[in-house]
Amino acid sequence: MNRIVPWEKMLAKLSRHYPKASPKGGRPAKPLEVMLRIYFLQNGFNYADLSM
């Protein structure tokens, strides 16, 4: 996956749209790279959310 996906470029473009920590509190978001890797694995191997 590291050879195929240009992580630095993708993270740079998507990070401005990904939620940041809110001053209101709440659960912090998972890191963007982790979420993208899970998403790609789900689509590539046809896994459900619970499988991941």
Side-chain angles (χ1 to χ4, degrees), residues 4-48:
I4 298 170
V5 180
W7 290 110
E8 292 80 24
K9 290 180 184 179
M10 186 177 294
L11 292 173
K13 289 187 179 190
L14 294 176
S15 63
R16 62 183 166 158
H17 302 291
Y18 197 67
K20 308 288 188 279
S22 172
K24 296 179 184 177
R27 181 179 289 171
K30 299 286 184 197
L32 177 58
E33 186 174 352
V34 171
M35 295 305 291
L36 284 174
R37 287 177 182 268
I38 290 171
Y39 177 75
F40 288 146
L41 286 173
Q42 281 181 317
N43 285 312
F45 293 102
N46 199 23
Y47 287 150

